[in-house]
Amino acid sequence: MRSITVKPNDANQRIDKFLQKYFKTMPLGMIYKCIRKKRVKVNGKKVEINYKLVENDIIDLYINDEFFKETAQQDIFKIVKPNIDIIYEDENIILIDKKPGMVVHPDEKEQVDTLINHIKSYLYNKKEYLPEHENTFAPSLCNRIDRNTGGIVIAAKNAEALRIVNEKIKSKEIRKFYLCIVQGILQKKTGSQTDYLIKDHSLNKVFISNKPETGGKEIVTKYKVLKEKNNMSLLEVELITGRTHQIRAHLASIGHPLIGDDKYGDKNFNRSMGFKYQALYSYKLYFDFTSDAGILNYLKGKVFELKEVGFAKKFLS
């Protein structure tokens, strides 16, 4: 038998959700069975799967030792020398300017040099993240940006901030704005485009339809032309929905692919322009809270904006 004391970052979640994080390889059905068979007790008593944990609860686990071995952390971030460009930081969140070329989470190509590992390493060195004091929580990203796209990424330092930011992104109370350069001159200088996006996982690509399709999800993209020259346009884009490759595929579908984007754009034109990555940058966040944000209420109305985006500065000069 092992006992776990519920920490602040574990509280206010269901016991089954906590156990899924704690025992990463245990099947969900087995977790439910352990709860039903009283192999999991809280404060010495049997609980239901929907029991919400409270700070300082004692969880007793009558579970085979082999499952505990799987919970050991590799702590890769401890060998990473942190290198991040911080835009804003407080006790709850941190905003990072992610550079093109860096992956945000470990994938099949990169396990160590990732944005989340740099953030964890940074907070570990500041003694703000001490994994030995946590049961399941680790600093987490609230939004993702493609490897070859740059821009502002939000990371949460605690579980409550993570929950709130995720809710506010879902309810569109955190507005995200991008700068991009596209081929061609748009007929309408401002607009809102609504279509449907279909993923093809085998190609790691998405397709756009102007009518509902099986498996398709509605996408809404707003844009404003900032400048035009040499048959190219600099746009500010606001994501109303946030789907995979939305800006890249959506603009390409109306005949204006991003400069530097070989997946959805014109490879020959991109080669002639000499862009290493697609000209796309998440440059501004607006915390447009319309409902209570709990411990993050102080962010209401705040705007965080990158003053310089390389390709945009060059285009405007």
Side-chain angles (χ1 to χ4, degrees):
M1 190 270 285
R2 298 195 190 187
S3 294
I4 303 169
T5 301
V6 172
K7 305 292 180 61
N9 283 322
D10 304 320
N12 300 314
Q13 63 179 314
R14 287 167 43 145
I15 182 68
D16 58 332
K17 302 297 184 185
F18 170 84
L19 293 175
Q20 285 180 63
K21 297 172 188 174
Y22 192 80
F23 295 111
K24 293 181 174 60
T25 61
M26 184 182 287
L28 184 58
M30 185 175 291
I31 288 174
Y32 289 157
K33 183 177 180 180
C34 288
I35 296 172
R36 287 197 308 270
K37 296 292 186 180
K38 302 182 184 179
R39 296 173 68 185
V40 175
K41 294 183 178 181
V42 179
N43 302 325
K45 298 178 182 179
K46 179 186 176 183
V47 293
E48 301 299 322
I49 61 172
N50 62 354
Y51 173 79
K52 273 204 169 182
L53 295 171
V54 177
E55 186 177 352
N56 295 321
D57 273 350
I58 304 297
I59 304 172
D60 294 327
L61 300 169
Y62 300 86
I63 291 172
N64 296 345
D65 286 344
E66 61 263 27
F67 288 107
F68 290 95
K69 294 175 184 177
E70 298 295 340
T71 66
Q73 293 185 349
Q74 294 184 14
D75 292 347
I76 291 176
F77 64 87
K78 292 181 181 179
I79 66 173
V80 173
K81 184 177 180 181
N83 181 19
I84 51 177
D85 187 354
I86 299 171
I87 302 165
Y88 171 81
E89 181 179 9
D90 62 33
E91 69 274 16
N92 295 309
I93 67 167
I94 181 169
L95 305 184
I96 306 296
D97 178 7
K98 184 196 86 72
K99 304 305 181 185
M102 173 175 273
V103 66
V104 292
H105 287 121
D107 61 14
E108 66 280 359
K109 295 180 181 178
E110 181 57 63
Q111 294 290 313
V112 178
D113 189 22
T114 67
L115 181 64
I116 189 59
N117 281 341
H118 280 269
I119 291 171
K120 286 179 180 178
S121 179
Y122 167 75
L123 295 174
Y124 178 77
N125 289 336
K126 288 181 68 182
K127 302 191 184 322
E128 288 190 33
Y129 170 48
L130 299 174
E132 62 271 20
H133 292 172
E134 299 288 348
N135 291 316
T136 60
F137 180 80
S140 301
L141 302 182
C142 305
N143 62 314
R144 300 172 62 103
I145 292 182
D146 293 341
R147 179 193 292 268
N148 294 331
T149 301
I152 304 174
V153 176
I154 311 170
K157 293 184 177 183
N158 56 67
E160 183 66 3
L162 178 64
R163 181 188 65 78
I164 293 169
V165 174
N166 285 339
E167 284 181 358
K168 295 304 181 185
I169 290 174
K170 187 175 181 180
S171 63
K172 301 178 178 59
E173 294 177 58
I174 296 178
R175 297 169 63 187
K176 293 176 280 186
F177 298 83
Y178 290 72
L179 292 176
C180 64
I181 301 175
V182 300
Q183 272 188 267
I185 304 300
L186 282 76
Q187 186 175 5
K188 293 182 179 179
K189 305 311 175 187
T190 62
S192 179
Q193 187 76 16
T194 300
D195 288 298
Y196 298 87
L197 180 148
I198 304 98
K199 283 186 182 180
D200 187 326
H201 294 283
S202 64
L203 296 176
N204 187 28
K205 197 171 182 178
V206 302
F207 298 90
I208 308 299
S209 171
N210 59 9
K211 58 184 179 180
E213 301 274 356
T214 301
K217 295 183 178 180
E218 186 179 73
I219 55 172
V220 183
T221 307
K222 292 177 69 174
Y223 70 87
K224 177 171 65 176
V225 177
L226 301 180
K227 187 172 182 179
E228 303 165 338
K229 71 176 182 182
N230 301 330
N231 197 36
M232 295 182 291
S233 302
L234 175 67
L235 310 181
E236 179 188 73
V237 175
E238 181 180 4
L239 278 181
I240 306 304
T241 55
R243 310 293 186 193
T244 301
H245 298 177
Q246 178 176 322
I247 294 174
R248 298 163 61 189
H250 210 180
L251 290 172
S253 75
I254 61 172
H256 298 285
L258 270 64
I259 305 301
D261 186 358
D262 286 352
K263 186 181 287 283
Y264 298 101
D266 184 333
K267 290 184 180 180
N268 292 329
F269 187 83
N270 292 337
R271 296 292 175 273
S272 69
M273 296 302 297
F275 272 74
K276 186 177 180 182
Y277 303 110
Q278 62 251 17
L280 178 64
Y281 223 92
S282 175
Y283 88 111
K284 183 165 65 174
L285 287 179
Y286 174 25
F287 288 79
D288 188 20
F289 297 156
T290 56
S291 59
D292 182 56
I295 63 170
L296 299 184
N297 270 324
Y298 60 89
L299 291 171
K300 181 177 181 178
K302 289 190 179 296
V303 178
F304 298 93
E305 179 178 340
L306 298 174
K307 298 306 179 184
E308 280 196 8
V309 174
F311 64 77
K313 182 181 180 182
K314 186 176 180 181
F315 194 88
L316 290 168
S317 62

